[in-house]
Amino acid sequence: MRSRLTGFFVAYNVRDGPLKSGLRLGYFSGYPLNGPSAIPPMALTDILIRNAKPGKKPQKLFDGGGLFLYVTPSGGKLWRLKYRFGGKERLLSLGAYPAISLKDARERRDEARKLLAHDVDPGEHRKAQKAATLARAADSFEVIAREWFAKFAPTWAEGHSSKIIQRLERDVFPWLGARPIADITAPELLTVLRRIEGRGALDTALRAKQNCGQVFRYAVASGRAERDPSGDLRGALAPVKHENFAAIVDPAQLAELLRAIDGFKGTFVVKCALRLAPMLFVRPGELRTAEWTAFDLEKAEWRYLVSKTKTEHLVPLSAQAVAILRELRALTGQWRHVFPGREPRKPMSSAAINAALRRLGYDTRTEITGHGFRATARTILHEELHFKPEVIEHQLAHKVPDALGTAYNRTKFLNERRAMMQRWADYLDELKVDAKLVPMVNAR
């Protein structure tokens, strides 16, 4: 009888006005926590909870087993669980209504009761879970990937590093970023890579796999993962057929291009870069970001760090190259970069050389690119001018081990390279004068 009367007052007061801080509702607060999990006869309902109105003081609507809804004067409805552990009364927050429904709150209460049955404090258990979650978040794939990137990006070329972080941000982080790195499996990684393959970006998928492998190995080395799952995906991705950069290796066709460059109607800065590109045959990024402090025009030398290997490289300058640079220095010598862009404090755009070649009427996908001048020089220097491959490769700043096992050395074959660079510049001048004097070679 007492239960019905208490339930009557609960319902009546909820419908007709704010509950008083009365104790008739407090009857259920004494419901034994360690007793059966059956719901009391007049437990809370969703209707009662939705219709509960705030009063001047906080209200408590008990459901049984220590669970109650705490109604604040401002209208908030918060689930709380009162329990005893170690002889002391404790209170546990279970969330807010309606985000946590009555059913959810009861399930959370029952989970807490199970912990108590095993002598585990639900409050301390939650703290431990939260700490573990934070620790796992700190070891998420994205956190470790960005840590790896920050550590190694300063040793990479700017263009290379920007491509890596953009690839990770676009294709990997949205799906794996929040996952604890130690929990990521090979099939899970493959699903992400398959998504990249699905849009036809086979090369991007392969590079994403390589970058992920680097991140996993960094995590292993720093004690936050046990293995690199990307190694299990060997052969799982579609093979990529790499195409060489378009290049002209026919002397007659090269002569036509050189004459077209001399007639270029664009800016003087871009025209100088175009004239130097085949003459110096360095990587396009190294040419466009060249700085005046790296040049010694009296010694006819250009020293810089190779963008791919971060090793020092020396380019002997021909008399023709020095003449072009002296003329250009009168225009851009006050700036840091030899080839400044529209914003003088920044270098020329990475697309400038190829855009200029297209303006001259050349297809940069099938005929010639700024990078293709390297293949042009490599082929003609060996096949037409008969310079030794090892001399050419050193001038290209490629790592070519010799009989002693030493790799690229910036000063190796320096005298031969000086002679080769001058002969190459002279040869280019001869081509422009009369291409018929030069034997033809088959284009590759």
Side-chain angles (χ1 to χ4, degrees):
M1 187 67 174
R2 186 181 176 190
S3 296
R4 285 195 295 272
L5 286 175
T6 306
F8 169 81
F9 281 108
V10 171
Y12 176 82
N13 286 332
V14 169
R15 285 200 305 268
D16 297 338
L19 293 170
K20 297 180 179 180
S21 57
L23 302 178
R24 295 182 180 181
L25 292 175
Y27 171 74
F28 291 123
S29 66
Y31 189 77
L33 181 61
N34 294 320
S37 60
I39 306 300
M42 293 302 294
L44 295 178
T45 66
D46 283 319
I47 294 177
L48 291 176
I49 295 171
R50 284 197 302 269
N51 292 334
K53 295 179 176 61
K56 293 182 179 180
K57 296 181 178 180
Q59 312 291 328
K60 294 181 180 180
L61 282 67
F62 285 90
D63 184 64
L67 176 65
F68 65 91
L69 189 71
Y70 186 78
V71 183
T72 69
S74 62
K77 298 177 181 180
L78 310 174
W79 291 112
R80 296 288 187 266
L81 177 66
K82 184 165 64 174
Y83 67 97
R84 298 185 69 83
F85 187 84
K88 295 182 180 180
E89 186 175 286
R90 301 176 186 272
L91 199 63
L92 183 65
S93 173
L94 301 181
Y97 181 88
I100 302 300
S101 67
L102 175 58
K103 179 182 177 182
D104 294 335
R106 286 171 174 167
E107 289 177 351
R108 295 189 177 193
R109 174 200 58 196
D110 292 343
E111 290 172 1
R113 288 163 60 89
K114 290 178 182 178
L115 291 173
L116 285 168
H118 290 86
D119 294 325
V120 175
D121 184 342
E124 294 302 319
H125 178 72
R126 173 180 290 180
K127 290 180 183 179
Q129 282 187 319
K130 186 175 181 180
T133 299
L134 292 174
R136 290 164 72 84
D139 288 341
S140 70
F141 182 87
E142 181 172 352
V143 167
I144 294 178
R146 290 189 182 279
E147 180 183 318
W148 163 79
F149 179 81
K151 182 177 181 64
F152 293 101
T155 67
W156 302 328
E158 181 180 351
H160 178 64
S161 62
S162 64
K163 288 178 182 177
I164 288 178
I165 194 62
Q166 289 172 12
R167 189 180 302 127
L168 291 172
E169 290 177 340
R170 180 184 65 245
D171 296 321
V172 181
F173 290 166
W175 291 275
L176 294 182
R179 295 275 290 122
I181 195 166
D183 293 349
I184 297 175
T185 63
E188 191 174 0
L189 176 59
L190 181 60
T191 299
V192 173
L193 300 177
R194 288 274 192 246
R195 188 177 289 109
I196 303 172
E197 279 190 330
R199 66 172 191 262
L202 303 184
D203 185 67
T204 300
L206 180 61
R207 293 181 185 277
K209 172 180 172 291
Q210 293 171 342
N211 295 148
C212 289
Q214 291 171 305
V215 174
F216 282 120
R217 290 190 290 275
Y218 175 75
V220 172
S222 56
R224 288 169 288 183
E226 294 185 1
R227 61 186 303 275
D228 168 21
S230 71
D232 297 335
L233 301 183
R234 186 176 290 107
L237 299 179
V240 178
K241 182 179 180 181
H242 291 283
E243 297 181 357
N244 294 326
F245 290 101
I248 291 175
V249 293
D250 181 332
Q253 294 177 3
L254 178 57
E256 293 177 5
L257 173 58
L258 295 173
R259 287 194 286 268
I261 290 175
D262 283 348
F264 181 69
K265 301 301 183 182
T267 66
F268 183 67
V269 170
V270 174
K271 183 175 182 177
C272 288
L274 269 178
R275 293 175 65 193
L276 288 169
M279 193 179 301
L280 303 182
F281 52 88
V282 295
R283 295 176 178 85
E286 294 164 348
L287 181 66
R288 76 176 185 86
T289 60
E291 300 180 5
W292 281 116
T293 55
F295 285 86
D296 187 334
L297 299 185
E298 297 302 321
K299 292 183 178 181
E301 293 179 350
W302 173 25
R303 296 171 182 265
Y304 65 89
L305 291 180
V306 178
S307 57
K308 293 186 68 174
T309 61
K310 295 300 180 183
T311 54
E312 188 175 332
H313 185 47
L314 189 153
V315 179
L317 301 173
S318 64
Q320 292 92 326
V322 170
I324 295 172
L325 289 166
R326 287 189 186 280
E327 189 176 9
L328 182 60
R329 189 165 61 179
L331 178 64
T332 69
Q334 74 272 31
W335 303 109
R336 172 185 175 185
H337 296 286
V338 177
F339 307 101
R342 291 182 180 180
E343 167 55 58
R345 289 173 295 181
K346 296 181 180 180
M348 180 175 67
S349 165
S350 60
I353 293 293
N354 282 351
L357 289 170
R358 287 192 293 272
R359 186 171 175 179
L360 292 175
Y362 286 86
D363 188 332
T364 53
R365 292 182 60 87
T366 62
E367 294 182 287
I368 183 66
T369 68
H371 201 286
F373 287 123
R374 291 168 64 78
T376 298
R378 183 191 301 113
T379 300
I380 297 179
L381 279 169
H382 178 57
E383 296 188 359
E384 295 299 323
L385 302 183
H386 307 296
F387 282 94
K388 295 185 293 186
E390 56 268 32
V391 176
I392 301 170
E393 292 299 310
H394 269 75
Q395 191 52 53
L396 289 165
H398 287 167
K399 290 185 177 181
V400 184
D402 57 21
L404 298 177
T406 57
Y408 166 76
N409 183 327
R410 74 178 187 278
T411 61
K412 194 159 189 178
F413 303 117
L414 186 54
N415 291 334
E416 293 95 326
R417 286 158 53 198
R418 289 188 189 279
M420 181 181 72
M421 295 299 282
Q422 185 59 56
R423 178 68 189 98
W424 176 240
D426 294 340
Y427 176 82
L428 297 180
D429 284 344
E430 293 166 7
L431 277 183
K432 288 188 290 185
V433 173
D434 190 355
K436 294 180 181 180
L437 299 176
V438 183
M440 296 287 289
V441 297
N442 293 327
R444 295 183 178 179

